Amino acid sequence: SFEAVPWCHNAYYLPTRPNFTMDPLFHAGCYYVQEAASMFLDKVICQYSSLIPHLSRALDMCAAPGGKSTLLRSVIPADCILYSNEPIRNRASILLENVTKWGYENHIVTNNYPKDYRKSKMTFDLILCDVPCSGEGMFRKDEATICEWSPQNVEKCWRLQREIVSDAWSCLSPGGLLIYSTCTFNTKENEENIRWMMEEFDAEVLPVDIRPEWHITGSL
């Protein structure tokens, strides 16, 4: 009876927030809890699955706590190896716990900096960069994030984001798909960074179809 999230398969809005930590089904990996906006990744993957028909290796570069990784693991082919990476050790532990609960094979958790992936010379057909950001999209639900925001933090974030993308781009297979996302609104961390990617890497920006009937394209 729950309202479905229109841009994600098998996703629903809850009328209230239960105490998930007391639910054995949550700890058994039967479901994962996340913001509906984060689930938009499902739509992007479904729309552009034809670009990477032989997807064999994927990377979630900044994966903790694991919401997008569990979603990504659910829609990519079963034989595709997914690397979920988190540079901060204690966050990587949380990521590992959630990935383990999700229970899929071919899913590896790493605790490295993006530059380490660049040095490894590994390549990936699909890379997700859900980068650290100034968090303006969190203002509506967490007033503390308003106090933490500053122009200086925005400057710090867009520079870090470019470093991460630069390292990730060196790992992207020719013709591969890189998905860039933030949870903030300012142009420096979004439009200006996208423009920089186009100029720096000759990246092609792909539109996302937001029509309700998007789901007819299917999934990987």
Side-chain angles (χ1 to χ4, degrees):
S1 61
F2 295 153
E3 178 187 356
V5 177
W7 47 82
C8 183
H9 297 87
N10 301 318
Y12 302 91
Y13 292 102
L14 298 180
T16 58
R17 182 181 178 87
N19 187 353
F20 300 110
T21 58
M22 301 299 292
D23 184 2
L25 293 177
F26 173 74
H27 294 287
C30 295
Y31 65 90
Y32 191 91
V33 184
Q34 61 182 299
E35 290 281 350
S38 298
M39 302 176 186
F40 198 72
L41 174 65
D42 182 67
K43 177 180 180 349
V44 177
I45 297 296
C46 290
Q47 182 172 336
Y48 286 105
S49 60
S50 61
L51 289 183
I52 40 179
H54 304 295
L55 179 58
S56 62
R57 195 155 56 186
L59 169 64
D60 185 352
M61 186 66 89
C62 311
K68 290 185 176 66
S69 273
T70 55
L71 176 56
L72 189 58
R73 179 65 274 178
S74 299
V75 297
I76 60 178
D79 59 351
C80 175
I81 301 175
L82 173 60
Y83 289 75
S84 293
N85 179 65
E86 173 54 46
I88 302 174
R89 181 170 292 275
N90 63 338
R91 287 173 57 83
S93 298
I94 297 172
L95 171 64
L96 176 61
E97 179 181 348
N98 287 326
V99 164
T100 302
K101 288 177 182 178
W102 206 235
Y104 277 72
E105 296 180 350
N106 293 328
H107 199 163
I108 298 170
V109 173
T110 61
N111 174 216
N112 295 97
Y113 289 104
K115 64 181 180 182
D116 296 323
Y117 270 93
R118 177 198 284 265
K119 294 176 182 177
S120 74
K121 306 297 183 182
M122 295 176 67
T123 58
F124 299 86
D125 307 301
L126 169 66
I127 300 178
L128 169 63
C129 289
D130 183 42
V131 291
C133 68
S134 58
E136 294 162 355
M138 306 293 287
F139 288 178
R140 67 176 177 83
K141 72 169 188 176
D142 187 358
E143 291 186 359
T145 59
I146 300 176
C147 300
E148 295 170 358
W149 185 94
S150 69
Q152 293 78 15
N153 192 36
V154 172
E155 290 294 313
K156 176 182 176 181
C157 285
W158 74 256
R159 297 178 189 277
L160 174 61
Q161 290 155 3
R162 293 191 184 188
E163 291 180 12
I164 293 172
V165 170
S166 181
D167 289 329
W169 195 269
S170 68
C171 300
L172 190 64
S173 300
L177 179 65
L178 186 143
I179 302 173
Y180 175 83
S181 64
T182 74
C183 59
T184 198
F185 301 131
N186 65 79
T187 59
K188 288 188 175 182
E189 298 178 67
N190 293 292
E191 288 89 346
E192 291 184 27
N193 271 354
I194 296 299
R195 187 178 300 110
W196 169 79
M197 293 178 213
M198 296 171 65
E199 296 171 351
E200 185 75 11
F201 307 116
D202 195 26
E204 177 187 358
V205 177
L206 303 175
V208 179
D209 187 356
I210 60 173
R211 292 176 298 175
E213 63 271 20
W214 68 270
H215 56 81
I216 62 174
T217 59
S219 60
L220 287 171

